[in-house]
Amino acid sequence: MKPFEKCPVCGGELQNKQVQKLLKGGGNTVSMKVAAEVCLHCGERLYAEDVVKSFEEIRGKLRKQEFSHLITLGQSFTVEKNWPNKAIQPTA
């Protein structure tokens, strides 16, 4: 049985979907696909308890710069502090 039959935010119908999830830690980011119950009305995502525990494990690895079981996909960038448009600022 599912923990929720309806969305706890809006009461909408939930559907099991594969979604893209980004996790950040220590200036690093992991991108993955994960199963979630997604509200068809408001888009709220609900994850299983074991999935949430895995999220915390991955964030911990990122903070500690332990990259075992992770594959490098490319590089990430931010703008320099002196970017001409002052409305745009670096993230780190």
Side-chain angles (χ1 to χ4, degrees):
M1 182 169 163
K2 296 186 215 180
F4 296 98
E5 292 300 319
K6 296 285 183 181
C7 176
V9 174
C10 75
E13 182 181 349
L14 297 173
Q15 184 175 32
N16 192 15
K17 293 186 176 187
Q18 283 285 114
V19 297
Q20 184 172 344
K21 177 74 174 172
L22 296 176
L23 296 176
K24 296 181 181 187
N28 297 296
T29 303
V30 169
S31 173
M32 69 191 87
K33 290 182 182 178
V34 62
E37 292 290 322
V38 180
C39 177
L40 299 178
H41 180 72
C42 74
E44 181 72 13
R45 295 177 177 184
L46 305 173
Y47 301 102
E49 185 176 347
D50 64 323
V51 171
V52 174
K53 287 180 182 178
S54 290
F55 290 167
E56 290 307 312
E57 181 182 353
I58 293 166
R59 283 187 187 107
K61 288 170 107 17
L62 292 174
R63 284 190 294 272
K64 295 175 189 172
Q65 305 257 342
E66 294 175 3
F67 303 124
S68 61
H69 302 291
L70 301 176
I71 300 169
T72 302
L73 292 176
Q75 295 180 318
S76 295
F77 301 91
T78 190
V79 296
E80 294 180 331
K81 290 181 183 178
N82 62 352
W83 189 262
N85 183 336
K86 297 304 175 198
I88 299 172
Q89 297 293 311
T91 56

mmCIF file of all heavy atoms in Angstrom, residues 9-51:
data_model
loop_
_atom_site.group_PDB
_atom_site.id
_atom_site.type_symbol
_atom_site.label_atom_id
_atom_site.label_comp_id
_atom_site.label_asym_id
_atom_site.label_seq_id
_atom_site.Cartn_x
_atom_site.Cartn_y
_atom_site.Cartn_z
ATOM 1 N N VAL A 9 -0.310 17.679 -0.641
ATOM 2 C CA VAL A 9 -0.290 19.132 -0.817
ATOM 3 C C VAL A 9 -1.630 19.650 -1.326
ATOM 4 O O VAL A 9 -2.197 20.585 -0.772
ATOM 5 C CB VAL A 9 0.857 19.555 -1.770
ATOM 6 C CG1 VAL A 9 0.800 21.050 -2.070
ATOM 7 C CG2 VAL A 9 2.209 19.174 -1.186
ATOM 8 N N CYS A 10 -2.154 19.004 -2.396
ATOM 9 C CA CYS A 10 -3.368 19.545 -3.029
ATOM 10 C C CYS A 10 -4.510 18.539 -3.141
ATOM 11 O O CYS A 10 -5.603 18.901 -3.561
ATOM 12 C CB CYS A 10 -3.030 20.098 -4.408
ATOM 13 S SG CYS A 10 -2.747 18.815 -5.651
ATOM 14 N N GLY A 11 -4.254 17.275 -2.800
ATOM 15 C CA GLY A 11 -5.297 16.257 -2.915
ATOM 16 C C GLY A 11 -5.437 15.664 -4.300
ATOM 17 O O GLY A 11 -6.339 14.880 -4.557
ATOM 18 N N GLY A 12 -4.527 16.018 -5.199
ATOM 19 C CA GLY A 12 -4.586 15.522 -6.568
ATOM 20 C C GLY A 12 -4.201 14.056 -6.687
ATOM 21 O O GLY A 12 -3.673 13.446 -5.752
ATOM 22 N N GLU A 13 -4.433 13.496 -7.868
ATOM 23 C CA GLU A 13 -4.118 12.097 -8.145
ATOM 24 C C GLU A 13 -2.613 11.918 -8.296
ATOM 25 O O GLU A 13 -1.927 12.744 -8.903
ATOM 26 C CB GLU A 13 -4.824 11.670 -9.435
ATOM 27 C CG GLU A 13 -4.597 10.228 -9.795
ATOM 28 C CD GLU A 13 -5.278 9.831 -11.086
ATOM 29 O OE1 GLU A 13 -6.102 10.601 -11.604
ATOM 30 O OE2 GLU A 13 -4.957 8.743 -11.586
ATOM 31 N N LEU A 14 -2.085 10.807 -7.751
ATOM 32 C CA LEU A 14 -0.662 10.483 -7.848
ATOM 33 C C LEU A 14 -0.446 9.413 -8.908
ATOM 34 O O LEU A 14 -1.254 8.512 -9.068
ATOM 35 C CB LEU A 14 -0.149 9.968 -6.507
ATOM 36 C CG LEU A 14 -0.202 10.954 -5.340
ATOM 37 C CD1 LEU A 14 0.183 10.256 -4.048
ATOM 38 C CD2 LEU A 14 0.699 12.155 -5.589
ATOM 39 N N GLN A 15 0.676 9.541 -9.628
ATOM 40 C CA GLN A 15 1.028 8.554 -10.629
ATOM 41 C C GLN A 15 2.518 8.244 -10.502
ATOM 42 O O GLN A 15 3.338 9.154 -10.324
ATOM 43 C CB GLN A 15 0.741 9.077 -12.027
ATOM 44 C CG GLN A 15 0.996 8.059 -13.120
ATOM 45 C CD GLN A 15 0.588 8.590 -14.480
ATOM 46 O OE1 GLN A 15 0.666 9.788 -14.764
ATOM 47 N NE2 GLN A 15 0.157 7.699 -15.343
ATOM 48 N N ASN A 16 2.886 6.968 -10.585
ATOM 49 C CA ASN A 16 4.282 6.564 -10.515
ATOM 50 C C ASN A 16 4.967 6.937 -11.823
ATOM 51 O O ASN A 16 4.488 6.577 -12.899
ATOM 52 C CB ASN A 16 4.374 5.060 -10.251
ATOM 53 C CG ASN A 16 5.780 4.629 -9.885
ATOM 54 O OD1 ASN A 16 6.632 5.453 -9.566
ATOM 55 N ND2 ASN A 16 6.019 3.348 -9.930
ATOM 56 N N LYS A 17 6.080 7.685 -11.719
ATOM 57 C CA LYS A 17 6.819 8.138 -12.899
ATOM 58 C C LYS A 17 8.312 8.075 -12.633
ATOM 59 O O LYS A 17 8.738 8.108 -11.482
ATOM 60 C CB LYS A 17 6.469 9.587 -13.253
ATOM 61 C CG LYS A 17 5.070 9.807 -13.733
ATOM 62 C CD LYS A 17 4.899 11.252 -14.190
ATOM 63 C CE LYS A 17 3.519 11.485 -14.776
ATOM 64 N NZ LYS A 17 3.417 12.826 -15.359
ATOM 65 N N GLN A 18 9.094 8.015 -13.704
ATOM 66 C CA GLN A 18 10.536 8.212 -13.627
ATOM 67 C C GLN A 18 10.777 9.707 -13.796
ATOM 68 O O GLN A 18 10.315 10.306 -14.767
ATOM 69 C CB GLN A 18 11.255 7.456 -14.741
ATOM 70 C CG GLN A 18 11.383 5.974 -14.517
ATOM 71 C CD GLN A 18 12.436 5.628 -13.498
ATOM 72 O OE1 GLN A 18 12.088 5.125 -12.451
ATOM 73 N NE2 GLN A 18 13.671 5.885 -13.763
ATOM 74 N N VAL A 19 11.496 10.319 -12.846
ATOM 75 C CA VAL A 19 11.770 11.751 -12.916
ATOM 76 C C VAL A 19 13.274 11.982 -12.820
ATOM 77 O O VAL A 19 14.013 11.145 -12.320
ATOM 78 C CB VAL A 19 11.044 12.521 -11.778
ATOM 79 C CG1 VAL A 19 9.542 12.386 -11.912
ATOM 80 C CG2 VAL A 19 11.503 12.059 -10.405
ATOM 81 N N GLN A 20 13.711 13.123 -13.308
ATOM 82 C CA GLN A 20 15.109 13.506 -13.160
ATOM 83 C C GLN A 20 15.271 14.227 -11.838
ATOM 84 O O GLN A 20 14.466 15.096 -11.489
ATOM 85 C CB GLN A 20 15.566 14.399 -14.302
ATOM 86 C CG GLN A 20 17.043 14.716 -14.220
ATOM 87 C CD GLN A 20 17.570 15.436 -15.439
ATOM 88 O OE1 GLN A 20 16.941 15.465 -16.479
ATOM 89 N NE2 GLN A 20 18.731 16.031 -15.290
ATOM 90 N N LYS A 21 16.305 13.876 -11.102
ATOM 91 C CA LYS A 21 16.576 14.478 -9.794
ATOM 92 C C LYS A 21 18.008 14.994 -9.786
ATOM 93 O O LYS A 21 18.929 14.311 -10.241
ATOM 94 C CB LYS A 21 16.376 13.425 -8.695
ATOM 95 C CG LYS A 21 16.689 13.886 -7.301
ATOM 96 C CD LYS A 21 15.619 14.797 -6.773
ATOM 97 C CE LYS A 21 15.878 15.137 -5.304
ATOM 98 N NZ LYS A 21 14.983 16.158 -4.827
ATOM 99 N N LEU A 22 18.207 16.205 -9.296
ATOM 100 C CA LEU A 22 19.529 16.773 -9.099
ATOM 101 C C LEU A 22 19.800 16.851 -7.605
ATOM 102 O O LEU A 22 18.963 17.343 -6.842
ATOM 103 C CB LEU A 22 19.621 18.181 -9.695
ATOM 104 C CG LEU A 22 19.467 18.307 -11.202
ATOM 105 C CD1 LEU A 22 19.481 19.774 -11.614
ATOM 106 C CD2 LEU A 22 20.564 17.547 -11.927
ATOM 107 N N LEU A 23 20.950 16.349 -7.183
ATOM 108 C CA LEU A 23 21.368 16.442 -5.789
ATOM 109 C C LEU A 23 22.663 17.236 -5.741
ATOM 110 O O LEU A 23 23.564 17.010 -6.559
ATOM 111 C CB LEU A 23 21.602 15.049 -5.189
ATOM 112 C CG LEU A 23 20.391 14.146 -5.081
ATOM 113 C CD1 LEU A 23 20.813 12.781 -4.565
ATOM 114 C CD2 LEU A 23 19.351 14.750 -4.160
ATOM 115 N N LYS A 24 22.771 18.151 -4.784
ATOM 116 C CA LYS A 24 23.961 18.986 -4.655
ATOM 117 C C LYS A 24 24.604 18.768 -3.298
ATOM 118 O O LYS A 24 23.919 18.543 -2.305
ATOM 119 C CB LYS A 24 23.592 20.456 -4.825
ATOM 120 C CG LYS A 24 23.063 20.778 -6.195
ATOM 121 C CD LYS A 24 22.723 22.235 -6.338
ATOM 122 C CE LYS A 24 22.182 22.489 -7.735
ATOM 123 N NZ LYS A 24 21.979 23.897 -7.991
ATOM 124 N N GLY A 25 25.924 18.860 -3.277
ATOM 125 C CA GLY A 25 26.664 18.762 -2.031
ATOM 126 C C GLY A 25 28.107 19.164 -2.253
ATOM 127 O O GLY A 25 28.742 18.700 -3.200
ATOM 128 N N GLY A 26 28.629 20.041 -1.407
ATOM 129 C CA GLY A 26 30.030 20.436 -1.500
ATOM 130 C C GLY A 26 30.429 21.034 -2.832
ATOM 131 O O GLY A 26 31.552 20.846 -3.281
ATOM 132 N N GLY A 27 29.531 21.723 -3.501
ATOM 133 C CA GLY A 27 29.838 22.336 -4.786
ATOM 134 C C GLY A 27 29.740 21.375 -5.953
ATOM 135 O O GLY A 27 30.050 21.729 -7.081
ATOM 136 N N ASN A 28 29.335 20.136 -5.706
ATOM 137 C CA ASN A 28 29.182 19.128 -6.753
ATOM 138 C C ASN A 28 27.707 18.798 -6.933
ATOM 139 O O ASN A 28 26.905 18.998 -6.028
ATOM 140 C CB ASN A 28 29.958 17.864 -6.388
ATOM 141 C CG ASN A 28 31.439 18.141 -6.287
ATOM 142 O OD1 ASN A 28 32.080 18.494 -7.255
ATOM 143 N ND2 ASN A 28 31.996 17.994 -5.090
ATOM 144 N N THR A 29 27.373 18.268 -8.101
ATOM 145 C CA THR A 29 25.982 17.935 -8.423
ATOM 146 C C THR A 29 25.928 16.553 -9.067
ATOM 147 O O THR A 29 26.780 16.218 -9.881
ATOM 148 C CB THR A 29 25.387 18.968 -9.403
ATOM 149 O OG1 THR A 29 25.501 20.263 -8.831
ATOM 150 C CG2 THR A 29 23.927 18.679 -9.700
ATOM 151 N N VAL A 30 24.920 15.773 -8.681
ATOM 152 C CA VAL A 30 24.648 14.479 -9.311
ATOM 153 C C VAL A 30 23.285 14.569 -9.985
ATOM 154 O O VAL A 30 22.328 15.060 -9.397
ATOM 155 C CB VAL A 30 24.642 13.328 -8.272
ATOM 156 C CG1 VAL A 30 24.108 12.045 -8.882
ATOM 157 C CG2 VAL A 30 26.031 13.102 -7.720
ATOM 158 N N SER A 31 23.218 14.076 -11.217
ATOM 159 C CA SER A 31 21.972 13.996 -11.966
ATOM 160 C C SER A 31 21.610 12.528 -12.112
ATOM 161 O O SER A 31 22.474 11.704 -12.422
ATOM 162 C CB SER A 31 22.167 14.627 -13.351
ATOM 163 O OG SER A 31 21.032 14.416 -14.150
ATOM 164 N N MET A 32 20.328 12.187 -11.870
ATOM 165 C CA MET A 32 19.901 10.793 -11.971
ATOM 166 C C MET A 32 18.427 10.719 -12.299
ATOM 167 O O MET A 32 17.707 11.701 -12.155
ATOM 168 C CB MET A 32 20.173 10.066 -10.659
ATOM 169 C CG MET A 32 19.280 10.548 -9.520
ATOM 170 S SD MET A 32 19.764 9.958 -7.921
ATOM 171 C CE MET A 32 20.936 11.235 -7.487
ATOM 172 N N LYS A 33 17.998 9.545 -12.720
ATOM 173 C CA LYS A 33 16.576 9.259 -12.882
ATOM 174 C C LYS A 33 16.151 8.422 -11.689
ATOM 175 O O LYS A 33 16.893 7.551 -11.236
ATOM 176 C CB LYS A 33 16.307 8.489 -14.172
ATOM 177 C CG LYS A 33 16.510 9.319 -15.410
ATOM 178 C CD LYS A 33 16.179 8.516 -16.640
ATOM 179 C CE LYS A 33 16.433 9.342 -17.893
ATOM 180 N NZ LYS A 33 16.168 8.543 -19.103
ATOM 181 N N VAL A 34 14.954 8.676 -11.174
ATOM 182 C CA VAL A 34 14.473 7.982 -9.985
ATOM 183 C C VAL A 34 12.951 7.841 -10.056
ATOM 184 O O VAL A 34 12.268 8.694 -10.620
ATOM 185 C CB VAL A 34 14.917 8.728 -8.706
ATOM 186 C CG1 VAL A 34 14.335 10.119 -8.633
ATOM 187 C CG2 VAL A 34 14.582 7.950 -7.452
ATOM 188 N N ALA A 35 12.455 6.758 -9.474
ATOM 189 C CA ALA A 35 11.010 6.548 -9.410
ATOM 190 C C ALA A 35 10.413 7.448 -8.333
ATOM 191 O O ALA A 35 10.984 7.606 -7.251
ATOM 192 C CB ALA A 35 10.701 5.088 -9.097
ATOM 193 N N ALA A 36 9.278 8.056 -8.628
ATOM 194 C CA ALA A 36 8.591 8.924 -7.675
ATOM 195 C C ALA A 36 7.095 8.865 -7.939
ATOM 196 O O ALA A 36 6.666 8.595 -9.063
ATOM 197 C CB ALA A 36 9.076 10.362 -7.808
ATOM 198 N N GLU A 37 6.325 9.107 -6.910
ATOM 199 C CA GLU A 37 4.894 9.329 -7.071
ATOM 200 C C GLU A 37 4.752 10.821 -7.359
ATOM 201 O O GLU A 37 5.189 11.653 -6.553
ATOM 202 C CB GLU A 37 4.129 8.945 -5.801
ATOM 203 C CG GLU A 37 4.121 7.473 -5.502
ATOM 204 C CD GLU A 37 3.286 6.674 -6.484
ATOM 205 O OE1 GLU A 37 2.211 7.159 -6.906
ATOM 206 O OE2 GLU A 37 3.712 5.571 -6.842
ATOM 207 N N VAL A 38 4.176 11.173 -8.490
ATOM 208 C CA VAL A 38 4.079 12.566 -8.920
ATOM 209 C C VAL A 38 2.609 12.963 -8.989
ATOM 210 O O VAL A 38 1.789 12.261 -9.579
ATOM 211 C CB VAL A 38 4.754 12.768 -10.291
ATOM 212 C CG1 VAL A 38 4.643 14.225 -10.738
ATOM 213 C CG2 VAL A 38 6.209 12.322 -10.244
ATOM 214 N N CYS A 39 2.286 14.103 -8.379
ATOM 215 C CA CYS A 39 0.920 14.613 -8.430
ATOM 216 C C CYS A 39 0.634 15.136 -9.832
ATOM 217 O O CYS A 39 1.401 15.941 -10.375
ATOM 218 C CB CYS A 39 0.722 15.724 -7.407
ATOM 219 S SG CYS A 39 -0.930 16.460 -7.485
ATOM 220 N N LEU A 40 -0.449 14.664 -10.403
ATOM 221 C CA LEU A 40 -0.829 15.093 -11.753
ATOM 222 C C LEU A 40 -1.411 16.505 -11.771
ATOM 223 O O LEU A 40 -1.546 17.106 -12.830
ATOM 224 C CB LEU A 40 -1.828 14.108 -12.353
ATOM 225 C CG LEU A 40 -1.320 12.670 -12.510
ATOM 226 C CD1 LEU A 40 -2.415 11.773 -13.080
ATOM 227 C CD2 LEU A 40 -0.077 12.619 -13.370
ATOM 228 N N HIS A 41 -1.728 17.050 -10.582
ATOM 229 C CA HIS A 41 -2.301 18.403 -10.513
ATOM 230 C C HIS A 41 -1.226 19.458 -10.229
ATOM 231 O O HIS A 41 -1.089 20.416 -10.977
ATOM 232 C CB HIS A 41 -3.392 18.460 -9.446
ATOM 233 C CG HIS A 41 -4.021 19.812 -9.306
ATOM 234 N ND1 HIS A 41 -4.880 20.331 -10.254
ATOM 235 C CD2 HIS A 41 -3.907 20.755 -8.343
ATOM 236 C CE1 HIS A 41 -5.258 21.542 -9.882
ATOM 237 N NE2 HIS A 41 -4.680 21.823 -8.717
ATOM 238 N N CYS A 42 -0.459 19.270 -9.145
ATOM 239 C CA CYS A 42 0.493 20.314 -8.734
ATOM 240 C C CYS A 42 1.958 19.966 -8.994
ATOM 241 O O CYS A 42 2.827 20.819 -8.861
ATOM 242 C CB CYS A 42 0.297 20.665 -7.261
ATOM 243 S SG CYS A 42 0.906 19.425 -6.093
ATOM 244 N N GLY A 43 2.240 18.690 -9.357
ATOM 245 C CA GLY A 43 3.612 18.301 -9.661
ATOM 246 C C GLY A 43 4.451 17.886 -8.461
ATOM 247 O O GLY A 43 5.627 17.569 -8.621
ATOM 248 N N GLU A 44 3.871 17.902 -7.268
ATOM 249 C CA GLU A 44 4.598 17.474 -6.068
ATOM 250 C C GLU A 44 5.150 16.071 -6.285
ATOM 251 O O GLU A 44 4.494 15.208 -6.859
ATOM 252 C CB GLU A 44 3.670 17.477 -4.847
ATOM 253 C CG GLU A 44 4.325 17.069 -3.563
ATOM 254 C CD GLU A 44 5.278 18.100 -2.987
ATOM 255 O OE1 GLU A 44 5.275 19.259 -3.447
ATOM 256 O OE2 GLU A 44 6.024 17.740 -2.071
ATOM 257 N N ARG A 45 6.400 15.840 -5.830
ATOM 258 C CA ARG A 45 7.039 14.531 -5.962
ATOM 259 C C ARG A 45 7.160 13.893 -4.583
ATOM 260 O O ARG A 45 7.618 14.528 -3.640
ATOM 261 C CB ARG A 45 8.429 14.669 -6.564
ATOM 262 C CG ARG A 45 8.431 15.187 -7.972
ATOM 263 C CD ARG A 45 9.852 15.360 -8.440
ATOM 264 N NE ARG A 45 9.901 15.791 -9.826
ATOM 265 C CZ ARG A 45 11.021 15.950 -10.498
ATOM 266 N NH1 ARG A 45 12.182 15.702 -9.918
ATOM 267 N NH2 ARG A 45 11.000 16.347 -11.755
ATOM 268 N N LEU A 46 6.787 12.625 -4.504
ATOM 269 C CA LEU A 46 6.919 11.859 -3.270
ATOM 270 C C LEU A 46 7.857 10.698 -3.544
ATOM 271 O O LEU A 46 7.668 9.941 -4.505
ATOM 272 C CB LEU A 46 5.555 11.341 -2.807
ATOM 273 C CG LEU A 46 4.473 12.401 -2.626
ATOM 274 C CD1 LEU A 46 3.135 11.734 -2.334
ATOM 275 C CD2 LEU A 46 4.833 13.377 -1.523
ATOM 276 N N TYR A 47 8.882 10.545 -2.688
ATOM 277 C CA TYR A 47 9.880 9.496 -2.859
ATOM 278 C C TYR A 47 9.754 8.481 -1.729
ATOM 279 O O TYR A 47 9.440 8.832 -0.596
ATOM 280 C CB TYR A 47 11.293 10.098 -2.833
ATOM 281 C CG TYR A 47 11.523 11.129 -3.910
ATOM 282 C CD1 TYR A 47 11.497 12.489 -3.607
ATOM 283 C CD2 TYR A 47 11.778 10.758 -5.221
ATOM 284 C CE1 TYR A 47 11.708 13.447 -4.593
ATOM 285 C CE2 TYR A 47 11.992 11.705 -6.211
ATOM 286 C CZ TYR A 47 11.963 13.045 -5.888
ATOM 287 O OH TYR A 47 12.170 13.979 -6.859
ATOM 288 N N ALA A 48 10.071 7.225 -2.044
ATOM 289 C CA ALA A 48 10.068 6.171 -1.037
ATOM 290 C C ALA A 48 11.151 6.450 0.004
ATOM 291 O O ALA A 48 12.164 7.102 -0.288
ATOM 292 C CB ALA A 48 10.319 4.820 -1.703
ATOM 293 N N GLU A 49 10.948 5.945 1.206
ATOM 294 C CA GLU A 49 11.880 6.191 2.312
ATOM 295 C C GLU A 49 13.306 5.731 1.974
ATOM 296 O O GLU A 49 14.272 6.443 2.255
ATOM 297 C CB GLU A 49 11.383 5.471 3.562
ATOM 298 C CG GLU A 49 12.202 5.767 4.795
ATOM 299 C CD GLU A 49 11.637 5.125 6.045
ATOM 300 O OE1 GLU A 49 10.491 4.640 6.037
ATOM 301 O OE2 GLU A 49 12.367 5.096 7.051
ATOM 302 N N ASP A 50 13.451 4.568 1.348
ATOM 303 C CA ASP A 50 14.792 4.084 1.010
ATOM 304 C C ASP A 50 15.459 4.967 -0.049
ATOM 305 O O ASP A 50 16.680 5.138 -0.049
ATOM 306 C CB ASP A 50 14.763 2.623 0.564
ATOM 307 C CG ASP A 50 13.982 2.391 -0.723
ATOM 308 O OD1 ASP A 50 12.946 3.059 -0.934
ATOM 309 O OD2 ASP A 50 14.404 1.531 -1.518
ATOM 310 N N VAL A 51 14.669 5.571 -0.920
ATOM 311 C CA VAL A 51 15.208 6.484 -1.927
ATOM 312 C C VAL A 51 15.721 7.755 -1.252
ATOM 313 O O VAL A 51 16.815 8.240 -1.552
ATOM 314 C CB VAL A 51 14.142 6.821 -3.000
ATOM 315 C CG1 VAL A 51 14.609 7.936 -3.920
ATOM 316 C CG2 VAL A 51 13.790 5.576 -3.798
#
